Amino acid sequence: MRLQLSTWPEVENYLKTSRGIIMPIGSTEQHGPNGLIGTDALCAEEIAWGVGAATGALVGPTIGVGMAVHHMEFPGTVTLRPSTLVLVIRDYVTALADHGFERFLFVNGHGGNIATVRAAFNEIYAELRAERGAEAPNLRCRVISWWESESVHALSRELFGVAEGSHATPSEVSVVQYTHPNHIKEAPLDPPIAPSGPFYDARDYRRRFPDGRIGSNPGLARPEHGKRLYDAAVASLAEKYQKFVHEE
Amino acid sequence: MRLQLSTWPEVENYLKTSRGIIMPIGSTEQHGPNGLIGTDALCAEEIAWGVGAATGALVGPTIGVGMAVHHMEFPGTVTLRPSTLVLVIRDYVTALADHGFERFLFVNGHGGNIATVRAAFNEIYAELRAERGAEAPNLRCRVISWWESESVHALSRELFGVAEGSHATPSEVSVVQYTHPNHIKEAPLDPPIAPSGPFYDARDYRRRFPDGRIGSNPGLARPEHGKRLYDAAVASLAEKYQKFVHEE
Amino acid sequence: MRLQLSTWPEVENYLKTSRGIIMPIGSTEQHGPNGLIGTDALCAEEIAWGVGAATGALVGPTIGVGMAVHHMEFPGTVTLRPSTLVLVIRDYVTALADHGFERFLFVNGHGGNIATVRAAFNEIYAELRAERGAEAPNLRCRVISWWESESVHALSRELFGVAEGSHATPSEVSVVQYTHPNHIKEAPLDPPIAPSGPFYDARDYRRRFPDGRIGSNPGLARPEHGKRLYDAAVASLAEKYQKFVHEE
Amino acid sequence: MRLQLSTWPEVENYLKTSRGIIMPIGSTEQHGPNGLIGTDALCAEEIAWGVGAATGALVGPTIGVGMAVHHMEFPGTVTLRPSTLVLVIRDYVTALADHGFERFLFVNGHGGNIATVRAAFNEIYAELRAERGAEAPNLRCRVISWWESESVHALSRELFGVAEGSHATPSEVSVVQYTHPNHIKEAPLDPPIAPSGPFYDARDYRRRFPDGRIGSNPGLARPEHGKRLYDAAVASLAEKYQKFVHEE
Amino acid sequence: MRLQLSTWPEVENYLKTSRGIIMPIGSTEQHGPNGLIGTDALCAEEIAWGVGAATGALVGPTIGVGMAVHHMEFPGTVTLRPSTLVLVIRDYVTALADHGFERFLFVNGHGGNIATVRAAFNEIYAELRAERGAEAPNLRCRVISWWESESVHALSRELFGVAEGSHATPSEVSVVQYTHPNHIKEAPLDPPIAPSGPFYDARDYRRRFPDGRIGSNPGLARPEHGKRLYDAAVASLAEKYQKFVHEE
Amino acid sequence: MRLQLSTWPEVENYLKTSRGIIMPIGSTEQHGPNGLIGTDALCAEEIAWGVGAATGALVGPTIGVGMAVHHMEFPGTVTLRPSTLVLVIRDYVTALADHGFERFLFVNGHGGNIATVRAAFNEIYAELRAERGAEAPNLRCRVISWWESESVHALSRELFGVAEGSHATPSEVSVVQYTHPNHIKEAPLDPPIAPSGPFYDARDYRRRFPDGRIGSNPGLARPEHGKRLYDAAVASLAEKYQKFVHEE
Ligand code: NI
Ligand code: NI
Ligand code: NI
Ligand code: NI
Ligand code: NI
Ligand code: NI
């Protein structure tokens, strides 16, 4: 059940049976020569919708632009400053909490978001405590990236081995090839497996990873691999969501 | 051409021929008993994509949650505070300006966004002037709501007359019925035409407009009307975009 | 009754009979070769005082510096960033609401303020809702520019026709000539009627409108015209204020 | 020369001969039973105008609402939060610095402003250093309260002795009686000299000083005393301004 | 009793007998050729700990980096912007107020902090009033610099006379020599007594005071002088703290 | 070499040979019945000083209050909101970068800080890019918690096994017993090993972990264990620092 495709009386009814909601959050950033700029947003959104379908959970509006400061040397990347992203998450969560939602599972598509999302959760807790004291709602916010499960990890390893890398991975590119089959791109990848390593700001990133990939060979991506990864991610997250909303 | 469905080398190429970009902005807010909560976001996004297709313009990521403070008494509404929305627009525009984009046409789906969007444009101009002085890029930002054209107005009048109203209108509901035919909702509307008038905060809004509609009868919405409105809006905006990017 | 010319016991008494207040807001920005930099602030302030005299309403402190980012290429212009103006309005309104004021009519002298003022109203509603929930005061904030009435429009048209333009207009210059007769300036205006059109940032504004005027011939301004415009504006706003404070 | 009563070409000319400007800053807050709420704003403004007349200096727009958090238990007080006032001063100064102004003398009418004004100066220096580095303009900002001079102190002592007190003083009330003779108020003052002492927040202030005065007997105020104080303040500040703008 | 060296049950017990706390605040900034960069932080901290020992008061965590914008042309200086320092103090005080602390005595080691600290106190009062209204805790915040007492002043005069100056003073250097005897530095001081005068931003400061000192000869500093100053400061502040926490 | 115990000419000299600096960051929060509230700050500070001694690196001022929102139900906890901590780190780093420092190793003592610290690094990169574009300094910021090394992990496991837990651990309590032997506390711990699990806001934390510990038995802490852990942490971090400052 997608919030944007529901009416307000439908949401009112939903709240009679559940206080949980799934919040997709991704990023709009370069994903190498053949990965879509929307890869992280599309993965998070599609998988969150899948979890919603599997569990009956409501799925809120996607945060499609995240914290991608380090990708800014590549045209097309859009980023929120961490301080802005904190406010966006604060506004989404407190608006929904105002209606009675209490458990927020953020389904994340971008590793670079995690720190800021966690900072945001504590910003929310602190602000509500300041404003409402003992009357503050008992919110529970959690973030899980779609690839954070044994089954997805195992599948990535099986399908791509060391070519998985850590940015513009064949796994995420595959998922988007599966969900957006009309937008599969071809591009030369040289070297096939990109260099790896740590990085600092955007210029440093581009110097180390000139085509944007880190440690990956997304030329191995296939829509059929994407389907398997998608299904595994949805299954794993559906189970985690159920636990999360029923946890004492 | 959608930014999220492009690769960074494709955006790099695009920038060789154009400095313009279309930015959809909507809202996630109640739209009466039968209107989708995502109505404004979906209208803006779909119409912006249509304009992109018609003109070859790049279409950036949708801002799907806008300024909907006054709808907060209806479950499911999500809102950014105006101050947050200003920062979001600031971050989107300055990130894209960093890549060389200079002309930003915001295709808007929600009247309540306009004031804040305009404030944001001036915040951006002021901040860039402070930070870069004479080296600040020559940005031009404009916002046009999809219904702001003679042709769309005429069509709304023809199709719905006085039942158009100003919130949860049969026009916008029709557009979404056309773009999202699997999500057409039925709901009793009593009275058929909702009351009209000014309003202040969210509680005041709900008191005056108990089911969320203002002056409208969205029961008249039909997908086929939506198609006509959509086509008229795309045609009008495509023309305005062309003028905008070529204006001296 | 002007707040700054009252004592606190007088305000305490006023609050026993009324919860309404008039808030003048203008701008301190270039107004062409012969218009005073304070034109918008002085018009708003003088007309607000007139409305106060006509209705017995309390008139709060003038916000004399507004949102004038686009005039910054002309010496003497002072501007608040939109984000600052939002906070200023937030602080004025919440301070007065703390004393019991509930209805705020902003009498505006500058078109460039309107978007930010409206954003501020929603920022206030959102913040009070977050902080006080159901205990938030029932504030009603409205902004009306002094020229927004049939009678003032008709008079401008009659007096100046197409030479009215949209910035540094003969109407506003006339009002200030009437209220500040010792500060009437003479300056050559070439061409007599300035160019018109849209604009973006401050540099763009100056390039298009080299002496600061838009579409106007303020050489036609006369104090006696100013008196008629002033009287019409005061009468119209006094009526609107009465409706506003008595509206259910 | 008042900025708001000048045209932009006049300011352009002024800048050819001087980089200095006088900035009045006051407060809109309770001033006891017979003191006007605008006392601090009116004193600062009128005295600043006097200094402008005496020296030929340009006088900027008055900041009429200052930091009056501690007076908020008295109806009619308006206050900016310190954080807002910092931004207001930042915006005023950086806008004027953009035109070439370099020396800013704030003529202050309210002791409660001083800390925040000084914080603001350093905020400005820090921000300009961050944004412009070695290219930052060489701004010099100073704040002097109108009563900060030997001559004014001596006069207050002579006229009012121990009844001067520290808030709602006969000196400041006298100045406003002189500048605004039509707004002289009568009110019983019991006890004639108000209690003295430190205070913390607004509730604490009201508990200690129930009618708003601190240590003063403003019943001694007279317009003719006000004239002497006004003249002494203007003379002293005019001299300080001349030194300030010519200081190496 | 130092907060950081206590356990939470010990603090819980402390709160049964007292609502007062001492908060050391200093700065990390150049202190001339032979003064430690931490001089202000170390003085504040050590003296605060001494007051804690003398009175049994709890001493909170030291704010070791303060408002030192004007020292930024000297390597090693670290500064918070005033706006950041306001938030830091807001967070410290409101966190402790949440536990029940009500009286906060800031023991200050840096003149440049005072304005911002006072602004912060009013920011806190304003914010708590906005958030909690009549339920806001009755906080009392005060700042006293360690040298603000007759006894300390007399001692400085006796020991150093006109060579005391106002920055990098022999008094503060002596205190640190006493508390940190292993870190006494030698450096040529030329001229022995540094120049004096006002200053504006960091570049202006360095131009006027090339080695960082203002009006002082810290070559006169001795640990044994430091001991006397330390003892006098602790005794004076201990007495003031006792009055402060028992004041009605 | 500690920044606060150095003079500015010493820092100027240091910068001729190194652009690196170590920044201790901890927290001031409950650490169970026998752990000091300053545990995380003291560990970070002492270990950072050890690394400075081992490598000759400069050690900046300790950030002693971190992100401890979730511990706020225990008296004595002090916390910065994440948004404040971001600004504090921004101010520290940009001040030091202004002097020429380029590589910042944050030695961390509190897991709850990590997300916000990482958000801060990106906030800094984004802000410098916005303000300085291609002229932005090439900063590299990294955070490592003192326990993040094979040797420290192995030692904790060897010494405490499953009783290590994750908050108020015997390892961190041991380190402070070693560095602050006069402040070793005794307290009953019931049950000896505290419960484990996830948590959300402060109330939720206290409900789950009534005495503040998570999964640990800090009754096993001993100063001699602390010495071994301290030595291992210093050795590991010294090596990492050397690599970090020499990394290309
Ligand atoms: Ni990705
Ligand atoms: Ni709509
Ligand atoms: Ni105007
Ligand atoms: Ni006063
Ligand atoms: Ni000092
Ligand atoms: Ni710890």
Side-chain angles (χ1 to χ4, degrees), chain A residues 137-150:
Chain A
N138 284 298
L139 302 191
R140 297 187 179 186
C141 300
R142 231 185 122 184
V143 57
I144 309 181
S145 299
W146 64 262
W147 58 82
E148 274 187 79
S149 82
E150 262 324 292

Side-chain angles (χ1 to χ4, degrees), chain B residues 29 31 39-40 109-110 147 166-169 172:
Chain B
E29 64 184 42
H31 268 77
T39 296
D40 294 350
H110 173 50
W147 58 81
S166 61
H167 182 69
T169 65
E172 61 185 342

Side-chain angles (χ1 to χ4, degrees), chain D residues 73 83 123 129 200 247, chain E residues 73 83 123 129 136 200 247:
Chain D
E73 286 286 322
S83 55
E123 188 80 14
R129 184 179 178 88
Y200 300 94
E247 161 184 270
Chain E
E73 286 286 322
S83 54
E123 189 79 13
R129 185 179 178 87
Y200 299 93
E247 162 185 88

Side-chain angles (χ1 to χ4, degrees), chain E residues 27 29-31 39-40 43 109-111 146-147 166-169 172:
Chain E
S27 185
E29 63 184 44
Q30 69 84 13
H31 268 77
T39 296
D40 294 351
C43 285
H110 173 50
W146 64 262
W147 57 84
S166 61
H167 183 69
T169 66
E172 61 185 342

Side-chain angles (χ1 to χ4, degrees), chain F residues 5-129:
Chain F
L5 299 181
S6 308
T7 64
W8 73 258
E10 289 171 345
V11 175
E12 192 169 59
N13 279 331
Y14 176 88
L15 279 161
K16 289 173 189 153
T17 64
S18 175
R19 300 277 151 177
I21 189 165
I22 290 170
M23 308 293 289
I25 177 166
S27 185
T28 296
E29 65 184 42
Q30 69 84 13
H31 268 77
N34 73 331
L36 304 190
I37 286 174
T39 296
D40 294 350
L42 299 169
C43 285
E45 184 171 84
E46 294 279 352
I47 289 169
W49 292 347
V51 178
T55 60
L58 192 66
V59 184
T62 304
I63 299 178
V65 172
M67 207 306 294
V69 166
H70 45 304
H71 294 292
M72 278 298 297
E73 286 287 322
F74 295 89
T77 296
V78 188
T79 185
L80 296 180
R81 293 197 191 182
S83 55
T84 305
L85 183 52
V86 166
L87 293 173
V88 167
I89 295 171
R90 191 267 317 250
D91 284 2
Y92 278 43
V93 168
T94 56
L96 290 162
D98 210 349
H99 302 311
F101 290 95
E102 289 182 344
R103 304 215 176 173
F104 299 82
L105 181 61
F106 282 74
V107 169
N108 178 48
H110 172 51
N113 286 338
I114 297 171
T116 302
V117 171
R118 289 201 173 127
F121 292 167
N122 281 292
E123 189 78 14
I124 293 166
Y125 297 145
E127 191 169 307
L128 289 174
R129 184 178 178 88

Side-chain angles (χ1 to χ4, degrees), chain B residues 152-203:
Chain B
V152 174
H153 272 294
L155 207 45
S156 290
R157 256 193 317 270
E158 173 201 327
L159 292 167
F160 310 117
V162 298
E164 172 68 1
S166 61
H167 182 69
T169 65
S171 288
E172 61 185 342
V173 173
S174 294
V175 168
V176 178
Q177 288 183 345
Y178 165 58
T179 60
H180 290 69
N182 299 328
H183 298 276
I184 299 175
K185 311 279 167 133
E186 302 289 333
L189 296 167
D190 177 26
I193 295 187
S196 284
F199 57 87
Y200 301 94
D201 74 357
R203 288 171 303 177

